[in-house]
Amino acid sequence: MTDSSSEDRRLLVSMSIGQTAYAAWARQARRERFFNIARLLEASAAVKQVRAEHALHRLGEVSRTIANIDRALAGLEPEAVATGPVTGTSPFQRELLERAVRALAAGRDLTYTELGDLFVCSTCGHLMEGDPPPFCPECGTVREGFLSFRIVDGMGTLGPSTIVRRLEQGMRTVQDLVRGLTEEQLSTPVNGLPAFKDLIGHLIDMDIVFRERAWMILETNQPKLSTAHPPTLQHAMKYRTVPIDDLLEQYISSRQQTLNLLRGLTQAAWQRIGFHEIFGPVPLLHQGNWVVSHEQGHLIELAQMRHNLLHKGNQAVMVVYEAFNL
């Protein structure tokens, strides 16, 4: 094995492990609602992935698809070597991460003034912040070849029709998930976790917050959006005593109002801007992705809770609860 191939194998392993670490750390940051810090960690994961893939190519481990499939079936993985540091960063990446440390020390996310749009060159993995240059200063790849981690995409990249469809699906899914469960099952916390009704009530609270923000964005010119933390699950404990039929009626009524506000909006309306202290000028589309992403996590948790209630199990719900940090 030559020195160059030995170094590429070391890079392949270390960059691959580093990519996994940064990706997992990014998901955790999202669970803790540090969305800009998550964006930084996702960009850092992309840097590692690009460099790992290029090491794999240099080693000749990527061939025609039929050959790659044959290798996969045979279990012929690249030879592993000692990795050395796996999350080592450039001086610029360290500077960005140190910004995150200072923000977390103050108990908050990075703001849009502290972390701009991020771009990663898909050829060499060079990380850039702010307005992207016309080409990568390291390898010359044109701007169109950059991976982007923009502030406005930090909550997701779903389009208007998908957002509306997901909100409609959520309404039907909640109704399906409560079917066949008793009032006692729906009102009783499992292993200290929220009760089923807590989560449904929480979805009502969040739907109201989103609708109020959407209305402000649509009806006023660049309104200042409240940065107060949305209602918590603890706040939703009051819903445990509400009969499930009444609770479902509240949820469906709120969601119908939200959908009535969103249906038929033009592309220009979805791009109307609200000003958020953390994320800066953000379009309605940004907030739509936010509420869909939030609800999706709770729907998965509700589905797991239903399964465990009906099958007398509780281990999986702990896994889901920890995964979403709810």
Side-chain angles (χ1 to χ4, degrees):
M1 182 183 297
T2 66
D3 290 342
S4 61
S5 63
S6 177
E7 174 62 13
D8 279 333
R9 291 193 184 281
R10 187 196 69 77
L11 282 172
L12 172 61
V13 177
S14 64
M15 293 295 122
S16 297
I17 296 174
Q19 190 274 335
T20 300
Y22 277 115
W25 296 339
R27 283 192 291 274
Q28 181 60 32
R30 286 189 175 277
R31 292 166 194 148
E32 296 178 34
R33 297 188 175 90
F34 297 125
F35 297 107
N36 277 330
I37 291 175
R39 188 165 52 85
L40 168 57
L41 295 171
E42 287 161 354
S44 298
V47 169
K48 300 293 184 183
Q49 182 174 347
V50 167
R51 292 175 177 168
E53 289 178 1
H54 279 274
L56 193 68
H57 277 276
R58 288 193 297 270
L59 288 166
E61 300 281 7
V62 179
S63 185
R64 293 173 59 85
T65 299
I66 184 62
N68 295 334
I69 295 297
D70 287 342
R71 287 174 62 85
L73 289 171
L76 297 178
E77 299 175 353
E79 178 184 345
V81 297
T83 66
V86 297
T87 59
T89 60
S90 68
F92 178 56
Q93 283 178 276
R94 290 192 63 84
E95 177 193 331
L96 297 180
L97 292 170
E98 285 166 0
R99 295 182 203 173
V101 169
R102 291 192 291 271
L104 290 170
R108 60 174 179 81
D109 194 3
L110 285 166
T111 69
Y112 74 102
T113 61
E114 296 170 317
L115 185 69
D117 292 335
L118 298 174
F119 299 90
V120 175
C121 176
S122 62
T123 299
C124 70
H126 181 65
L127 178 65
M128 295 157 276
E129 181 187 20
D131 294 332
F135 51 86
C136 175
E138 293 292 325
C139 70
T141 295
V142 295
R143 173 167 48 200
E144 289 75 11
F146 297 169
L147 305 174
S148 64
F149 300 85
R150 299 176 185 269
I151 296 171
V152 294
D153 295 333
M155 295 295 181
T157 56
L158 301 179
S161 61
T162 303
I163 289 172
V164 170
R165 186 170 67 251
R166 293 280 182 88
L167 293 176
E168 291 172 337
Q169 291 172 342
M171 184 168 54
R172 293 191 294 269
T173 299
V174 168
Q175 294 176 81
D176 290 340
L177 289 173
V178 303
R179 191 169 293 119
L181 297 178
T182 66
E183 287 284 344
E184 181 180 3
Q185 287 174 314
L186 293 167
S187 304
T188 304
V190 180
N191 291 345
L193 304 181
F196 216 95
K197 288 183 180 180
D198 295 358
L199 288 175
I200 298 175
H202 181 59
L203 295 182
I204 295 171
D205 291 341
M206 296 298 284
D207 193 64
I208 293 171
V209 169
F210 167 65
R211 186 169 63 254
E212 290 176 346
R213 289 182 177 180
W215 184 88
M216 290 177 63
I217 291 172
L218 292 169
E219 296 297 325
T220 56
N221 184 34
Q222 297 193 13
K224 184 175 181 180
L225 304 178
S226 172
T227 56
H229 198 289
T232 63
L233 273 173
Q234 186 174 7
H235 177 80
M237 290 174 59
K238 63 184 181 183
Y239 291 104
R240 290 181 191 176
T241 59
V242 179
I244 189 57
D245 289 343
D246 294 344
L247 193 57
L248 284 177
E249 184 178 351
Q250 290 182 44
Y251 174 66
I252 293 169
S253 175
S254 178
R255 180 51 51 85
Q256 289 287 14
Q257 292 178 60
T258 299
L259 289 169
N260 289 339
L261 180 64
L262 300 179
R263 286 194 183 104
L265 291 179
T266 64
Q267 287 288 339
W270 281 97
Q271 293 300 326
R272 283 184 62 87
I273 297 296
F275 185 85
H276 194 284
E277 186 176 279
I278 299 295
F279 305 108
V282 291
L284 175 57
L285 201 61
H286 175 281
Q287 291 295 286
N289 274 275
W290 164 69
V291 74
V292 166
S293 175
H294 174 270
E295 181 159 288
Q296 186 67 30
H298 284 303
L299 290 177
I300 293 171
E301 186 182 16
L302 284 170
Q304 187 66 67
M305 292 173 71
R306 173 184 172 85
H307 172 80
N308 292 330
L309 284 168
L310 293 177
H311 294 84
K312 308 299 183 183
N314 56 35
Q315 182 175 1
V317 74
M318 288 296 295
V319 174
V320 174
Y321 187 83
E322 291 173 358
F324 288 98
N325 195 34
L326 302 171

